[in-house]
Amino acid sequence: MHLALLTLSLTFAAADAPKPERLWPKDAPGAMGDKDADVPTITAFLPPADKANGTAVVVCPGGGYGGLAMSYEGMDVGAWMAQRGVAGFVLKYRVAPYKHPVPLEDAQRALRTVRARAKEWGVDPGRVGIMGFSAGGHLASTAATHYDAGKPDAEDPIERAGCRPDFVILAYPVITLKTPFTHMGSRKNLLGDNPDEKLVDSLCNDEQVTDKSPPAFLFHTADDNAVPSENSVLYFEACRKAKVPAEIHVYRHGRHGVGLAPNDPALSSWPDALEAWMKERGLLSQIRAKMKNEERRTGNEE
């Protein structure tokens, strides 16, 4: 499995590697400048048309809301998704000095963009999920608990699309912004030194789960000394109480920030568990994407 992942990653690293696209054609709302850090983008890793199954995942790398681990928590994951027939969209969202709600607005815009351009990318708009690592997991869980159905009368067609993810994948995520289990660096970068307590409450995403929240898959390690595994447990328990389908895998050992962990004999099995979960939920089935794939092969798209 890992050799195949390496081969695919090298393929995408070649001259024909996917290029990032701006989420907004001009300056993003609230932009502080026009440098790279001010421009949120998505990079599309599209599977071959004959392997595409219609599922899409927006991937949010971690970095404590102060940076982004774009390689091993971003591009490698996009390639992994494409290998399984899933369209992976790696999100470069804005981080500190940008504060909430800017990262969430970037994630919501990415979800809307994938839905609005679903036909172009061979995606089923009803199978668009979001995935996040560490602080990117907080962003993904925020998107999974703070969403809308779009603005039908918006001039921008992308804004007409809803931003509720159909499923969420969380790898060693920050979930709560309260002590003793939060990651204080992420909290400070996102909210500043003295945030309003009501705002903190609203972004403790285990407290925001309802029976309308999307199904969730969670991965963590018990001895994570950066983001305690209680974060994942809190979210899982919230899903269980709300009767939202959820699956959690907490490994006994393992450091924080492993990505897909291709070189760890134990942790490298977590992507296999994720793949099995996606298959069980019908997210790797090509049935719903058959018509779209045929259109892409024959060029008969309207």
Side-chain angles (χ1 to χ4, degrees):
M1 180 190 78
H2 306 315
L3 178 59
L5 173 60
L6 175 61
T7 301
L8 191 62
S9 297
L10 291 174
T11 299
F12 280 121
D16 60 348
K19 301 296 189 292
E21 294 189 36
R22 298 171 72 112
L23 283 176
W24 283 271
K26 297 182 180 180
D27 289 345
M32 299 178 186
D34 57 3
K35 296 181 180 179
D36 184 67
D38 301 303
V39 181
T41 65
I42 52 172
T43 301
F45 288 79
L46 301 179
D50 60 343
K51 293 184 179 179
N53 51 43
T55 296
V57 176
V58 172
V59 180
C60 306
Y65 282 119
L68 293 172
M70 290 295 289
S71 58
Y72 65 94
E73 291 177 352
M75 302 306 177
D76 287 352
V77 181
W80 185 91
M81 289 290 176
Q83 187 183 38
R84 285 149 185 81
V86 175
F89 296 87
V90 180
L91 173 64
K92 177 169 73 70
Y93 56 95
R94 289 170 286 175
V95 298
Y98 289 97
K99 299 287 190 277
H100 176 77
V102 171
L104 176 59
E105 291 171 347
D106 292 349
Q108 291 175 333
R109 177 73 176 189
L111 289 161
R112 296 188 207 278
T113 298
V114 174
R115 285 214 173 91
R117 297 173 60 183
K119 190 170 185 179
E120 171 189 348
W121 284 323
V123 167
D124 182 339
R127 289 205 292 186
V128 178
I130 192 165
M131 178 179 191
F133 296 77
S134 193
H138 183 265
L139 179 57
S141 63
T142 306
T145 51
H146 302 70
Y147 51 80
D148 61 61
K151 306 176 183 69
D153 57 349
E155 183 177 343
D156 182 353
I158 290 176
E159 292 300 313
R160 299 173 201 158
C163 61
R164 177 190 179 275
D166 296 300
F167 57 94
V168 60
I169 302 164
L170 305 172
Y172 41 89
V174 178
I175 294 294
T176 182
L177 294 184
K178 297 178 182 177
T179 56
F181 300 130
T182 192
H183 180 254
M184 290 303 295
S186 295
R187 169 177 156 147
K188 181 177 180 179
N189 284 332
L190 183 65
L191 300 181
D193 290 322
N194 298 295
D196 181 89
E197 286 305 313
K198 289 184 178 179
L199 177 59
V200 173
D201 289 345
S202 73
L203 294 173
C204 291
N205 294 321
D206 57 303
E207 299 178 21
Q208 306 306 317
V209 172
T210 72
D211 59 356
K212 301 296 191 297
S213 299
F217 176 97
L218 300 105
F219 153 69
H220 223 118
T221 59
D223 53 8
D224 187 327
N225 61 8
V227 178
S229 59
E230 281 85 353
N231 281 267
S232 284
V233 173
L234 284 169
Y235 197 86
F236 173 79
E237 284 298 316
C239 288
R240 188 181 64 81
K241 290 176 183 177
K243 301 190 185 308
V244 171
E247 181 169 313
I248 186 170
H249 294 260
V250 180
Y251 287 68
R252 182 179 177 187
H253 296 302
R255 65 176 178 82
H256 185 76
V258 296
L260 296 173
N263 299 316
D264 188 304
L267 298 185
S268 61
S269 66
W270 90 260
D272 295 334
L274 170 59
E275 184 174 0
W277 179 82
M278 294 180 74
K279 182 178 291 186
E280 179 187 10
R281 297 205 61 80
L283 297 171
L284 301 184
S285 169
Q286 292 183 297
I287 296 174
R288 296 177 67 183
K290 185 176 181 181
M291 185 176 297
K292 293 182 183 296
N293 291 340
E294 183 62 30
E295 288 174 348
R296 289 173 65 188
R297 284 195 296 270
T298 61
N300 289 334
E301 293 180 325
E302 295 179 1

